[in-house]
Amino acid sequence: MELIAINFTKRGDIRVKTKTFKQGIHPKYNKDLTNSKPLEKANLPKEVTLYLDQHIGSPAKAIVEAGDKVKLGDKVGESTGFISANLHASISGEITAIEERRDSIVIKIKGSEGEQWQVDNPEKNLEDISAEEIREIIKEAGIVGLGGAAFPSHVKVSTDGKEVNQVILNGAECEPYLTVDHRTMLEQASEVIYGLKALMKSAGAKEGYIGVEVNKMDAINKLEEVSQKDSNINIIPLEVKYPQGGEKQLIKAILDKEVPSGGLPLDIGVVVNNVGTAVAVTEAINYGKPLIERGLTVTGAVNNPQNLIVRIGTPIRDLIEECGGFKGEPGKIILGGPMTGQAQSSLDVGVSKGTSGILVLSKDEIEDYKDPRPCIRCARCIDGCPAKLMPTALANLAKNDDVEGLEKYNVLDCIECGSCTYVCPANIDLLDWIRIGKAKVEAKRREN
Amino acid sequence: MDFGMLTRAVLSMGILGGLFASGLAYASVKFAVEDDPKKQQIEEILPGVNCGACGKPGCASYAEAVANGELGIDCCPVGGAELAEGIAKIMGVAPACSTERKVAQVLCQGGNEETFDKSEYKGLPKCQVADMEENFKSCEYGCLGFGDCAAVCDFDAIVMDENGLPQIDTDKCTSCTKCVVECPRDIITMAGVSEQVKTKCKSLLRGKEVKVACDKGCIGCTLCAKKCPVDAIDMVDNLAVIDHETCVGCGVCVKVCPTDAMVETSF
């Protein structure tokens, strides 16, 4: 049996016992731009753009029409299946258009009266609510995983008869630049713990864990302090390594369990959620608040990088302006972090439920595309791959259109963390090829 | 010279040879593999390019599948109607109804001149990757211009022109449909050679947005639909859709189209 790598990481004067998974990489973190800046509510947007397919699964169906008046928190999109999520109006106003795009349908709402969600209700006692009720609240509020993948949260806690032993909250935040989870844990620690308890209750789990990388010692201390009375909740310091916050990597680090190939954490009795999701669950239970806003980090080459709580659908143009505009000439604008985020070609794109940050890289930071050189068989990608795959072999199989080979080498287990491309000294676009390979395998499976 | 030695050598080798020959002759009868003569006949008339368009790995396996009745006689797009007739004769079935020759058609005219880039793309120059990444091109429906289709074509029938658009050599095209499958934006389609006009645009956006994105896009003005003498054009989602059964190929739509999105095909 493999032992968990237990290391001692030195942080200041104290030595902390940390856990981690095997392999992975150490990119530059650049978190000091925003990690000391408190979460602030962003200015309310004048217009929001809501995508009906901003979660994983089947897209929501619009239940409003152009010209309708909606109030803050009104449902505008209804979930269309089990793996799907509701969508709510994130500002009060009038629906100006429902537009069909090539890959999604968008609802546009205009007008804002500076309305905030009422939060005066007292905290509800979790013992008075049943697990079924919590699931229903989560589903109704349209809560999805706020870590980035936007997987509907009610699906994760619908255990379907399977036994769940542990709920893990993901506070690793291994993506460089992003600090919003860090600030959430620090400033909303009690909400995080309450949300964790609610998720544990709805999934029927006895133990709760929160994994936090040790570059956020203040958050670890704060969570320890708040959860002192709860003996079944453990705060786990994790080594600073990418992708520590990957679901499977987190489970391996904390519980030393491996999710089977092609399986889900639920198969081994584990549910993993982001800390932001836990806060959203708390607010849904206590204030009946649907997922109308989320925290995100606006960082990089902007004049005043900040952690903001923004309404879903806010155009990124507004947020960049609020943070003082571009610093120098922008080279790339990325939604999410630098490793897994997606580059944008327009500033009118609205923030979606899965957007954990807006990263602006200046023109000098962006390198031109370099033609890949031949693979020198150094195996750095293999040493770095957290899923223990062979990226170089998979890329070659994808180039040669060998679908059977791709399946044999488990291409679908790739978590698309980008570590292989990051470390490759020959500039080979490993992840791009692997994605093509994944698409090929998925297309073949759909056919059969 | 010792003739005795020569005789012995010739004799012994002769006897050995005779023994082996009879062994082989016996084995060829005893262990003969029965091969369907139909399969062999079909394989002989197949194009033999092993392109895989029929869904089988190669021509031999397609021939076997036809002989077994697994696949139809008209699954080889490369051979077309002529081949289907040939196979029908071998299999002793009625030839399939008219299989018109089809060729690949690119339904986009948004090259580098007609469109512009909203942002600079700095990734792997492959359409499939660019489609997954940022939407750098002004038209979100149009050709990305990295030539995935040209790379996948086994018959060198597709070349990327200077304007960044694929040009299809219809004489070389064998209608294997590989490019249709490869294109992430679904702008390549198989068109029958008798279809004389095509709407060379796939954008479902409203006219105003199309106008901004591309000089040659269909803006959904409905002029062609109104002027068509046989009412063969319907407007579906801001796009002119031609019913080729009704179309007589008069070319009026091509003349009236204000953006030149309607094009007369040339085969």
Side-chain angles (χ1 to χ4, degrees):
Chain A
M1 204 185 91
E2 269 181 345
L3 285 172
I4 324 173
I6 295 178
N7 301 327
F8 288 93
T9 309
K10 201 162 185 244
R11 288 282 146 185
D13 294 332
I14 33 164
R15 273 156 63 93
V16 191
K17 199 172 164 189
T18 57
K19 291 185 171 181
T20 192
F21 62 100
K22 281 201 170 173
Q23 307 190 341
I25 58 165
H26 294 276
K28 246 187 169 173
Y29 281 89
N30 293 325
K31 287 185 190 267
D32 41 358
L33 282 170
T34 48
N35 65 3
S36 57
K37 299 204 176 159
L39 271 173
E40 275 171 39
K41 286 221 180 230
N43 298 336
L44 287 182
K46 299 260 178 312
E47 188 177 18
V48 290
T49 315
L50 301 170
Y51 304 87
L52 282 172
D53 62 343
Q54 54 181 287
H55 49 264
I56 287 184
S58 65
K61 194 177 92 217
I63 53 168
V64 285
E65 276 168 29
D68 285 3
K69 293 255 190 292
V70 286
K71 285 200 89 81
L72 177 67
D74 282 356
K75 205 195 280 181
V76 293
E78 186 144 54
S79 78
T80 52
F82 180 56
I83 303 184
S84 184
N86 291 332
L87 189 62
H88 300 82
S90 54
I91 55 172
S92 302
E94 192 187 325
I95 310 252
T96 50
I98 297 177
E99 284 172 20
E100 215 164 308
R101 301 260 142 203
R102 179 168 155 259
D103 38 14
S104 68
I105 299 173
V106 299
I107 298 180
K108 288 194 167 170
I109 309 176
K110 209 168 193 164
S112 169
E113 290 134 32
E115 209 179 335
Q116 297 287 353
W117 194 263
Q118 295 300 319
V119 290
D120 48 1
N121 298 23
E123 193 168 279
K124 279 186 192 152
N125 195 341
L126 273 178
E127 278 165 23
D128 303 338
I129 325 170
S130 73
E132 189 53 48
E133 278 170 339
I134 297 175
R135 272 202 288 277
E136 199 47 46
I137 291 170
I138 294 174
K139 186 170 182 221
E140 210 37 53
I143 296 175
V144 301
L146 297 184
F151 189 80
S153 296
H154 67 272
V155 181
K156 281 194 183 178
V157 287
S158 300
T159 48
D160 201 15
K162 281 181 189 151
E163 196 186 344
V164 173
N165 300 316
Q166 291 99 358
V167 171
I168 299 178
L169 281 195
N170 185 352
E173 198 161 52
C174 57
E175 268 281 347
Y177 284 98
L178 305 185
T179 55
V180 62
D181 288 351
H182 181 188
R183 295 311 302 181
T184 306
M185 288 186 285
L186 205 57
E187 293 170 34
Q188 298 176 298
S190 54
E191 280 96 329
V192 171
I193 302 289
Y194 184 93
L196 173 56
K197 285 184 199 158
L199 287 165
M200 280 161 66
K201 175 148 190 187
S202 64
K206 288 170 205 76
E207 292 169 51
Y209 293 88
I210 305 179
V212 188
E213 282 187 354
V214 288
N215 55 2
K216 299 179 263 290
M217 272 322 284
D218 45 355
I220 295 175
N221 293 335
K222 180 79 186 177
L223 289 170
E224 289 273 14
E225 193 189 312
V226 177
S227 66
Q228 238 170 15
K229 273 179 257 159
D230 306 292
S231 57
N232 56 348
I233 291 178
N234 303 298
I235 317 296
I236 312 288
L238 301 167
E239 193 190 316
V240 182
K241 189 159 83 175
Y242 181 86
Q244 186 70 72
E247 194 170 58
K248 290 165 186 172
Q249 285 63 41
L250 197 65
I251 295 171
K252 176 73 185 159
I254 294 179
L255 302 172
D256 192 21
K257 279 187 184 173
E258 254 178 57
V259 180
S261 172
L264 290 169
L266 202 56
D267 298 337
I268 51 167
V270 184
V271 170
V272 181
N273 274 296
N274 183 266
V275 287
T277 316
V279 174
V281 168
T282 307
E283 291 179 339
I285 293 172
N286 285 333
Y287 318 132
K289 178 178 161 189
L291 191 60
I292 50 167
E293 54 189 5
R294 66 155 297 149
L296 57 78
T297 308
V298 184
T299 183
V302 288
N303 283 318
N304 181 23
Q306 284 182 69
N307 297 301
L308 295 170
I309 294 175
V310 304
R311 293 288 165 87
I312 308 294
T314 310
I316 54 178
R317 185 191 304 278
D318 290 12
L319 297 170
I320 289 169
E321 257 164 41
E322 190 169 346
C323 292
F326 295 118
K327 192 187 202 173
E329 203 180 340
K332 213 165 210 181
I333 300 150
I334 299 168
L335 283 192
M339 298 298 288
T340 57
Q342 201 168 25
Q344 299 298 315
S345 59
S346 160
L347 287 175
D348 299 319
V349 179
V351 165
S352 73
K353 290 178 181 179
T355 310
S356 47
I358 298 170
L359 170 63
V360 181
L361 295 174
S362 69
K363 202 135 206 171
D364 321 326
E365 286 171 296
I366 304 293
E367 278 184 22
D368 278 330
Y369 179 75
K370 284 189 205 135
D371 280 328
R373 294 185 297 275
C375 171
I376 54 166
R377 324 291 293 166
C378 67
R380 278 190 219 177
C381 57
I382 294 169
D383 288 341
C385 180
K388 297 182 183 163
L389 299 171
M390 293 198 283
T392 169
L394 290 171
N396 284 336
L397 290 167
K399 269 182 217 174
N400 296 331
D401 216 356
D402 184 350
V403 179
E404 274 167 34
L406 285 163
E407 278 185 303
K408 190 176 153 204
Y409 284 88
N410 297 320
V411 72
L412 292 184
D413 282 346
C414 168
I415 59 166
E416 304 190 17
C417 66
S419 299
C420 49
T421 313
Y422 184 85
V423 293
C424 181
N427 290 328
I428 303 174
D429 307 271
L430 292 162
L431 181 56
D432 287 336
W433 284 108
I434 292 172
R435 279 198 187 130
I436 291 175
K438 282 176 95 168
K440 279 181 180 158
V441 171
E442 275 159 9
K444 189 193 156 199
R445 296 213 169 153
R446 265 198 304 276
E447 241 173 61
N448 297 337
Chain B
M1 203 178 176
D2 188 354
F3 278 97
M5 200 169 144
L6 191 71
T7 335
R8 276 200 299 279
V10 169
L11 265 177
S12 57
M13 289 317 282
I15 289 164
L16 274 174
L19 272 175
F20 287 135
S22 54
L24 281 173
Y26 174 73
S28 78
V29 178
K30 174 83 180 165
F31 304 114
V33 179
E34 269 184 51
D35 203 1
D36 196 338
K38 280 180 184 165
K39 187 209 149 188
Q40 282 176 3
Q41 284 170 355
I42 295 171
E43 202 179 332
E44 268 164 37
I45 61 166
L46 284 175
V49 284
N50 296 324
C51 66
C54 54
K56 288 280 167 188
C59 293
S61 30
Y62 174 59
E64 201 180 331
V66 176
N68 295 339
E70 226 178 278
L71 282 179
I73 57 165
D74 52 354
C75 290
C76 176
V78 181
E82 217 174 294
L83 177 78
E85 236 167 75
I87 300 179
K89 222 177 265 172
I90 296 167
M91 294 298 290
V93 293
C97 49
S98 79
T99 38
E100 190 193 2
R101 192 169 97 88
K102 288 188 167 186
V103 288
Q105 278 274 298
V106 180
L107 299 186
C108 176
Q109 299 187 97
N112 299 334
E113 269 174 38
E114 291 83 9
T115 60
F116 59 93
D117 289 353
K118 286 194 283 183
S119 61
E120 217 176 323
Y121 176 72
K122 284 181 179 169
L124 182 66
K126 234 178 120 39
C127 308
Q128 268 179 314
V129 177
D131 189 51
M132 282 188 266
E133 298 280 324
E134 60 192 279
N135 206 350
F136 71 93
K137 193 159 169 156
S138 58
C139 176
E140 58 188 287
Y141 292 87
C143 174
L144 290 160
F146 292 119
D148 282 15
C149 48
V152 83
C153 183
D154 287 334
F155 305 95
D156 290 336
I158 309 182
V159 252
M160 300 303 291
D161 66 7
E162 279 168 9
N163 197 16
L165 281 175
Q167 293 299 335
I168 292 171
D169 184 338
T170 44
D171 293 332
K172 283 185 185 166
C173 176
T174 60
S175 50
C176 72
T177 71
K178 269 193 175 180
C179 51
V180 178
V181 177
E182 192 76 3
C183 180
R185 299 229 149 165
D186 292 333
I187 54 168
I188 305 183
T189 184
M190 300 311 292
V193 283
S194 68
E195 297 171 13
Q196 296 178 22
V197 279
K198 277 269 164 244
T199 318
K200 289 211 165 186
C201 181
K202 290 281 262 185
S203 173
L204 305 182
L205 294 177
R206 281 171 302 167
K208 206 173 137 198
E209 292 164 297
V210 176
K211 202 82 182 149
V212 174
C214 178
D215 296 343
K216 283 193 176 173
C218 172
I219 53 172
C221 66
T222 71
L223 214 57
C224 52
K226 281 179 198 148
K227 296 274 169 165
C228 181
V230 289
D231 282 342
I233 303 178
D234 258 339
M235 298 304 294
V236 182
D237 292 336
N238 301 320
L239 201 59
V241 178
I242 304 164
D243 177 14
H244 291 287
E245 302 264 302
T246 331
C247 173
V248 291
C250 65
V252 169
C253 49
V254 179
K255 282 190 203 102
V256 296
C257 182
T259 56
D260 295 333
M262 283 279 181
V263 177
E264 235 166 299
T265 52
S266 50
F267 297 115

